[in-house]
Amino acid sequence: MTTRKLTIKDLQLNVSISGQGSPLLLLNGLGGLIRTFDSLREELGDFMTITLDMPGVGKSQMPRWPMRLPRHADLIAEMLKQLGVDQVDVFGVSWGGALAQEFALRHPSMVRRLILAATSAGPVVLVKPADILEFFGRSKSAKSRKQEGSRNSIQALLRFGVVKGMLSVNPRTYYYQLAALVGWTSLLRLFRLRQRTLILTGDRDTLVQMYNAHILRRTIRRAEVHVLEGEGHFFVVTSAQRTAELIREFLCQQHDDEEPAPMIASGRPRPRLL
């Protein structure tokens, strides 16, 4: 696994490439660090997985002002161009699923297939600013933890990610990423997508409930839904092997009307991070 800094549009981004094979771009959820995908990437070693800390997350530079989702999508496109990758399969989870939709809509020729996990067409309000303020400002005493409610609550999900070292501990990160989604929706544009799309949802996801997956399926022309039984919002982490199997099966399907999965041509150097 190679992790380096790239400068994209005056922002330094922490980018990671792992494995060999056809390129698969992984886009993280709200506040998600690169290591969130570690288990999934281990299961997908036959793919060249590309992921990053989004602007303001982890080791990537915090932008001076919040960026809207379209600018994030254009940033991803420029990153791939710098890496010498012309086309990718894209996997986006939660907040990253919204970004994956925006990226595919703005740069359709760069996306072969699309996988949307635990996400919706918006308007997406996964976490309120008050939830972030409460989580990072409150006492971590045993008494306060008992008051946080069930393990499926937003507070419990944030705590799980932070304790596992998978989520940022900087409140500003969340405020900026939430600002990117204000007023955003893809609902009236998804009919434009021509890519085959797999939609993954957990039947116990209380943050992005299953009906969102079915809305996506009805709106995207070539979409299919798979429900992960017994899984909540973090199934990419809690069921990495199962998720990887679904990703591999979907991406390896052959269709006569579709080009083969993109590969780095022989003799062409593997993407490098300088």
Side-chain angles (χ1 to χ4, degrees):
M1 188 180 298
T2 304
T3 305
R4 295 287 188 275
K5 291 288 182 67
L6 288 180
T7 300
I8 313 289
K9 297 186 178 181
D10 299 323
L11 283 174
Q12 277 199 336
L13 298 183
N14 191 38
V15 183
S16 175
I17 294 178
S18 177
Q20 302 286 339
S22 61
L24 172 61
L25 174 64
L26 307 176
L27 299 176
N28 228 321
L30 195 71
L33 303 171
I34 283 175
R35 65 169 299 182
T36 303
F37 286 130
D38 282 358
S39 297
L40 185 66
R41 296 172 87 182
E42 288 177 7
E43 298 289 342
L44 293 170
D46 48 334
F47 290 85
M48 183 183 71
T49 55
I50 305 168
T51 190
L52 73 157
D53 288 332
M54 296 305 299
V57 179
K59 297 180 180 179
S60 286
Q61 182 180 346
M62 181 74 69
R64 184 175 182 182
W65 306 106
M67 296 166 45
R68 301 310 299 272
L69 210 62
R71 188 179 172 197
H72 280 87
D74 293 345
L75 203 72
I76 294 296
E78 183 60 31
M79 178 194 75
L80 292 174
K81 290 175 183 177
Q82 283 200 23
L83 294 175
V85 178
D86 300 323
Q87 190 180 59
V88 292
D89 294 314
V90 180
F91 173 88
V93 57
S94 194
W95 186 94
L99 176 56
Q101 295 170 60
E102 189 66 30
F103 177 65
L105 286 165
R106 291 178 69 83
H107 304 278
S109 65
M110 299 187 74
V111 180
R112 189 186 74 107
R113 290 187 186 174
L114 187 61
I115 307 173
L116 304 174
T119 195
S120 81
V124 184
V125 183
L126 301 179
V127 182
K128 298 176 182 178
D131 297 322
I132 304 300
L133 182 63
E134 180 185 4
F135 179 77
F136 288 104
R138 74 183 307 163
S139 167
K140 294 299 183 290
S141 65
K143 181 179 179 180
S144 69
R145 288 180 180 178
K146 289 181 181 179
Q147 294 172 344
E148 285 177 356
S150 71
R151 65 184 294 268
N152 288 323
S153 70
I154 291 172
Q155 299 295 320
L157 288 168
L158 286 169
R159 187 171 67 249
F160 173 84
V162 169
V163 168
K164 295 292 185 181
M166 297 176 180
L167 294 182
S168 170
V169 295
N170 185 351
R172 188 179 173 193
T173 292
Y174 297 89
Y175 300 148
Y176 273 36
Q177 289 194 304
L178 288 172
L181 294 176
V182 172
W184 177 87
T185 180
S186 62
L187 193 58
L188 300 179
R189 298 177 289 151
L190 288 177
F191 72 92
R192 301 178 193 169
L193 292 180
R194 297 294 183 268
Q195 294 88 348
R196 281 189 165 81
T197 302
L198 173 64
I199 302 159
L200 301 177
T201 183
D203 64 354
R204 294 187 180 180
D205 189 342
T206 58
L207 201 57
V208 181
Q209 297 183 15
M210 276 200 305
Y211 70 83
N212 290 285
H214 294 292
I215 290 173
L216 288 169
R217 180 186 59 79
R218 288 195 296 268
T219 312
I220 300 173
R221 297 187 181 190
R222 305 166 84 185
E224 59 186 87
V225 171
H226 186 96
V227 178
L228 286 86
E229 296 182 0
E231 292 294 336
H233 193 67
F234 277 175
F235 62 78
V236 171
V237 174
T238 59
S239 189
Q241 182 179 3
R242 190 174 172 192
T243 303
E245 289 171 354
L246 292 169
I247 291 172
R248 182 179 291 104
E249 179 182 356
F250 174 70
L251 295 183
C252 292
Q253 292 172 358
Q254 297 296 320
H255 298 274
D256 293 339
D257 62 342
E258 194 176 53
E259 294 182 3
M263 296 289 292
I264 302 302
S266 59
R268 180 176 177 178
R270 183 175 180 269
R272 295 178 58 198
L273 304 177
L274 302 177

